[in-house]
Amino acid sequence: MAQTSGDNRLDGMAHSEVHYFNSYNHHGIHEEMLKDEVRTKSYRDAIYNNKHLFKDKIVLDVGCGTSILSMFAVKAGAKHVIGVDFSTIITKAKEIVEVNGMSDKITLLQGKMEEVQLPFPEVDIIISEWMGYFLLYESMLDTVLWARDKYLKKGGLIFPDKAIIQVAGIEDGEYKDEKIGFWDNVWGFDYSPLKHTALTEPLVDTVEMKAVVTDSCPVLTLDLYTVTVADLAFSLPYQIAVRRTDYVHALIAWFDIEFSACHKPVKFSTGPHAKYTHWKQTVFYLKDVLTVEAGETIDGTLVCRPSQANRRDLDIGIQYRLQAHDQGRNVAGQAQYTMS
């Protein structure tokens, strides 16, 4: 597995609503997102290449951050853009909008989407970069859906409007041993209680394509025009075909995004086969090591729901079963993870 700088476990991520929004006060996270070429260029292309959709329209930018998407929309001919963000980055966003000569076209509001008062009763287009790790971890999708139901006019557009979670199996023995096996003997002591903790924490990291042993399988497909908040808690089947004889130590997940309203649809993927994005991939190590051969299948169920302890955390369950040619290698198991 290709390592990124530092340990990208999610230990330090937000554990409260306030912490979540405060994390977006710092310019570093916005720098990372703006430098994510796949992310920012996809939004820019979807907006600039469809000026006929934006011309003279009222646009709502949910979670506008530094207001880059709002400015894209103005350049594409929007009549007016309302950007909403809870974090104090919006103070800087107002300065950015002003130095770019767009203060008359962009209204920026600080506050929760559900509480601010928009200057228009309805909007023609909603744009938002709402996606989190594993698509749904600390995502703003529920807020986007609230804004859709409250403000989007009949026949209005959402950018982007489709998201798909994909899964695949990987060989990652060396790194699994480094991260998980380490706890078996720590300076001569048995630290196995922490091994259990390590196995229940997904890892956000960059996976090399050569580590992928199976085909991928779409598990969850979201249509932003019809999806409800209730749909974001799900239990869905998957089945992945094994490509080569190898071992499977973990399942990985990533997401694909589509702007389908466009004249020429714009898509991007956060998978290991695609160009790097700051979302990377999410790795779920399995208790078992699966010894697999080409042509076999791994199937099971992926369960995901917001944690009862903190709605911005995710509880994820994975059931897995290897359907081997040799029944002696059949393995079935299940694992529970928390993204927190």
Side-chain angles (χ1 to χ4, degrees):
M1 178 180 292
Q3 271 309 101
T4 52
S5 58
D7 190 329
N8 284 299
R9 288 192 183 279
L10 300 174
D11 305 345
M13 287 286 183
H15 283 273
S16 71
E17 197 86 343
V18 173
H19 191 118
Y20 168 72
F21 287 114
N22 283 347
S23 68
Y24 286 88
N25 292 341
H26 306 290
H27 91 279
I29 193 167
H30 296 283
E31 179 183 1
E32 181 182 33
M33 291 189 292
L34 291 167
K35 285 182 174 176
D36 185 334
E37 188 177 330
V38 172
R39 163 199 180 269
T40 310
K41 186 175 183 295
S42 296
Y43 275 87
R44 186 199 67 182
D45 290 351
I47 294 170
Y48 281 9
N49 295 346
N50 293 278
K51 292 181 178 178
H52 61 292
L53 298 177
F54 282 83
K55 183 172 170 51
D56 298 330
K57 295 297 195 294
I58 305 298
V59 178
L60 173 60
D61 181 357
V62 179
C64 62
T66 59
S67 73
I68 186 73
L69 304 186
S70 296
M71 293 191 294
F72 285 160
V74 168
K75 290 269 275 188
K79 181 179 181 180
H80 203 89
V81 182
I82 311 108
V84 179
D85 205 296
F86 188 77
S87 80
T88 56
I89 192 67
I90 206 153
T91 305
K92 284 292 171 194
K94 288 177 179 176
E95 294 177 26
I96 292 166
V97 166
E98 185 174 353
V99 298
N100 283 280
M102 296 184 180
S103 297
D104 61 329
K105 293 274 193 176
I106 299 176
T107 299
L108 296 177
L109 303 174
Q110 184 178 4
K112 288 189 176 182
M113 186 70 236
E114 296 84 350
E115 295 172 2
V116 299
Q117 185 70 42
L118 296 197
F120 298 92
E122 61 179 15
V123 300
D124 301 295
I125 301 175
I126 291 175
I127 55 177
S128 181
E129 196 275 80
W130 53 266
M131 300 81 77
Y133 297 123
F134 186 65
L135 185 66
L136 298 175
Y137 174 65
E138 287 198 335
S139 89
M140 292 192 307
L141 183 52
D142 53 347
T143 302
V144 172
L145 300 184
W146 186 92
R148 175 199 69 187
D149 295 342
K150 173 80 172 172
Y151 291 111
L152 188 64
K153 70 185 295 186
K154 190 175 168 75
L157 301 176
I158 305 174
F159 278 62
D161 58 353
K162 186 180 282 189
I164 302 170
I165 292 178
Q166 306 265 8
V167 298
I170 64 167
E171 185 285 316
D172 198 25
E174 187 178 339
Y175 194 63
K176 181 183 179 184
D177 192 54
E178 182 185 321
K179 299 301 290 185
I180 311 294
F182 167 76
W183 301 108
D184 291 332
N185 183 337
V186 180
W187 299 99
F189 298 99
D190 182 350
Y191 266 59
S192 56
L194 283 182
K195 183 175 183 175
H196 172 75
T197 304
L199 274 167
T200 62
E201 293 176 344
L203 183 73
V204 172
D205 213 339
T206 305
V207 176
E208 293 183 347
M209 191 58 200
K210 67 183 181 184
V212 180
V213 176
T214 72
D215 289 339
S216 62
C217 168
V219 179
L220 176 72
T221 299
L222 300 179
D223 177 342
L224 265 70
Y225 294 108
T226 58
V227 67
T228 66
V229 171
D231 296 330
L232 306 184
F234 60 87
S235 176
L236 293 169
Y238 68 88
Q239 183 176 70
I240 45 181
V242 177
R243 289 179 183 168
R244 66 172 187 257
T245 299
D246 209 325
Y247 300 99
V248 170
H249 298 95
L251 295 186
I252 63 167
W254 67 89
F255 60 87
D256 301 335
I257 293 294
E258 184 176 344
F259 301 79
S260 71
C262 304
H263 176 57
K264 289 183 178 176
V266 174
K267 304 177 184 181
F268 70 87
S269 177
T270 63
H273 58 285
K275 193 172 176 181
Y276 171 87
T277 74
H278 75 281
W279 290 288
K280 303 169 187 156
Q281 293 86 45
T282 307
V283 184
F284 300 94
Y285 286 110
L286 306 178
K287 249 183 333 199
D288 302 296
V289 176
L290 308 184
T291 305
V292 299
E293 293 182 2
E296 295 176 343
T297 59
I298 301 168
D299 62 33
T301 306
L302 179 65
V303 181
C304 178
R305 61 177 55 89
S307 170
Q308 289 188 326
N310 179 355
R311 72 180 190 88
R312 291 200 177 275
D313 293 350
L314 288 181
D315 290 334
I316 298 166
I318 296 178
Q319 296 175 330
Y320 54 91
R321 179 178 55 175
L322 170 62
Q323 306 269 37
H325 295 148
D326 166 17
Q327 291 194 347
R329 283 189 294 105
N330 281 353
V331 177
Q334 56 185 358
Q336 289 294 132
Y337 309 87
T338 299
M339 294 188 80
S340 61

